C-alpha cells in the first residue's frame, strides 16, 4: 500500500505544507478572472496539477509557478465553456429557451470602465497588468508565470500600462464645466 512508502509520506507532508500558502492567493487570482463556480473548479484543478507535479514546484517561487498552472487550467476551462456555449447556441436555434438570464462575469458599475479598458488590451497585455497590479508580482515572478524573460516582462508591462492609461484617459468623461458668457460683453 502507498501509505507504507516513506517517500509518499514525505510527498504528502510537503504538499500539505505548500497547499495552505497557495489556496487563498490562487482563489483571489481566479476570482478576478472568472465567475465563482469556474474559479472554484479551476482552483481544484490547479491544486491537482500541483500535487501531480509536486517535484516540479520550485521551492523559492511556488506561488508564481502555481499562477502559471492556474492560467493554463483557466484557459482550458474557458475553451471548454466556449465549446459548451457553441453547442448550447446550436440547441437554442432548434429549441429556443423561454427566458434568458444574465451571464456570469457581470461587473459592478465602478469596475466597468477598468474591465472595458482591460478588454481593449491584448490578452497578454491584460494578463501582465493583472499579475502586476492585482497579484502584486514582480517582473521576474511574472516572467516565471508567463514563460518570458524578466526583461521582456518589464518592457511589455511598461507598454501595457501606458496603453491602459491612454485608454482610460480617452474614455474619461469630460471634466470641468461649461463656459459661461454671463457678465461678458460680446
Amino acid at each position: 500500500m502507498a501509505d507504507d512508502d516513506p517517500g509518499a509520506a514525505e510527498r504528502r507532508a510537503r504538499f500539505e505544507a505548500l497547499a495552505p500558502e497557495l489556496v487563498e492567493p490562487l482563489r483571489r487570482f481566479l476570482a478576478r478572472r472568472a465567475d465563482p463556480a469556474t474559479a472554484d473548479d479551476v482552483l481544484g484543478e490547479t491544486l491537482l496539477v500541483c500535487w501531480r507535479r509536486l517535484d516540479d514546484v520550485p521551492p523559492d517561487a511556488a506561488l508564481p509557478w502555481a499562477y502559471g498552472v492556474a492560467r493554463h487550467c483557466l484557459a482550458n476551462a474557458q475553451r471548454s465553456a466556449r465549446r459548451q456555449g457553441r453547442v448550447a447556441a446550436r440547441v437554442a436555434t432548434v429549441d429556443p429557451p423561454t427566458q434568458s438570464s444574465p451571464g456570469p462575469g457581470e461587473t459592478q458599475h465602478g469596475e466597468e470602465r477598468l474591465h472595458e479598458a482591460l478588454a481593449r488590451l491584448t490578452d497578454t497585455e491584460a494578463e501582465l497588468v493583472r499579475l502586476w497590479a492585482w497579484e502584486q508580482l514582480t517582473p521576474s515572478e511574472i516572467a516565471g508565470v508567463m514563460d518570458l524573460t524578466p526583461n521582456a516582462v518589464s518592457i511589455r508591462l511598461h507598454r501595457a500600462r501606458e496603453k491602459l492609461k491612454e485608454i482610460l484617459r480617452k474614455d474619461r468623461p469630460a471634466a470641468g464645466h461649461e463656459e459661461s458668457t454671463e457678465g461678458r460683453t460680446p
Side-chain angles (χ1 to χ4, degrees):
M1 188 173 234
D3 292 339
D4 296 335
D5 181 14
E10 288 175 25
R11 180 178 171 82
R12 181 182 177 138
R14 182 172 171 222
F15 183 76
E16 287 176 350
L18 177 66
E21 296 174 20
L22 300 178
V23 170
E24 280 309 309
L26 285 171
R27 185 182 314 278
R28 288 189 305 270
F29 174 87
L30 294 166
R32 292 182 187 111
R33 290 161 175 79
D35 62 273
T38 301
D40 286 343
D41 290 347
V42 172
L43 176 62
E45 181 68 24
T46 301
L47 291 173
L48 181 61
V49 171
C50 289
W51 166 254
R52 287 180 182 157
R53 296 186 55 204
L54 190 59
D55 295 335
D56 296 336
V57 178
D60 57 339
L63 186 58
W65 185 87
Y67 282 147
V69 171
R71 282 184 71 234
H72 292 292
C73 291
L74 182 58
N76 288 340
Q78 290 169 334
R79 277 192 297 276
S80 176
R82 285 192 299 270
R83 281 192 302 272
Q84 290 174 1
R86 288 191 299 268
V87 168
R90 285 187 215 135
V91 169
T93 59
V94 174
D95 185 19
T98 56
Q99 70 182 46
S100 64
S101 60
E106 289 186 357
T107 60
Q108 294 179 359
H109 182 66
E111 299 173 350
E112 288 178 14
R113 270 188 71 227
L114 178 59
H115 286 286
E116 288 171 4
L118 283 170
R120 291 172 56 189
L121 298 177
T122 67
D123 290 342
T124 301
E125 290 170 335
E127 188 63 7
L128 283 167
V129 170
R130 287 185 194 110
L131 288 169
W132 172 76
W134 293 346
E135 310 312 328
Q136 299 180 346
L137 296 183
T138 65
S140 60
E141 291 171 328
I142 294 170
V145 173
M146 298 189 70
D147 296 326
L148 298 169
T149 66
N151 189 46
V153 168
S154 294
I155 293 167
R156 291 179 185 187
L157 178 59
H158 173 75
R159 290 177 181 159
R161 287 173 37 205
E162 291 300 313
K163 187 174 176 182
L164 181 63
K165 187 170 30 174
E166 184 64 18
I167 290 169
L168 289 170
R169 186 189 64 74
K170 286 181 178 177
D171 290 346
R172 184 178 356 181
H177 59 281
E178 293 181 19
E179 185 176 338
S180 173
T181 58
E182 185 176 327
R184 293 186 186 170
T185 56

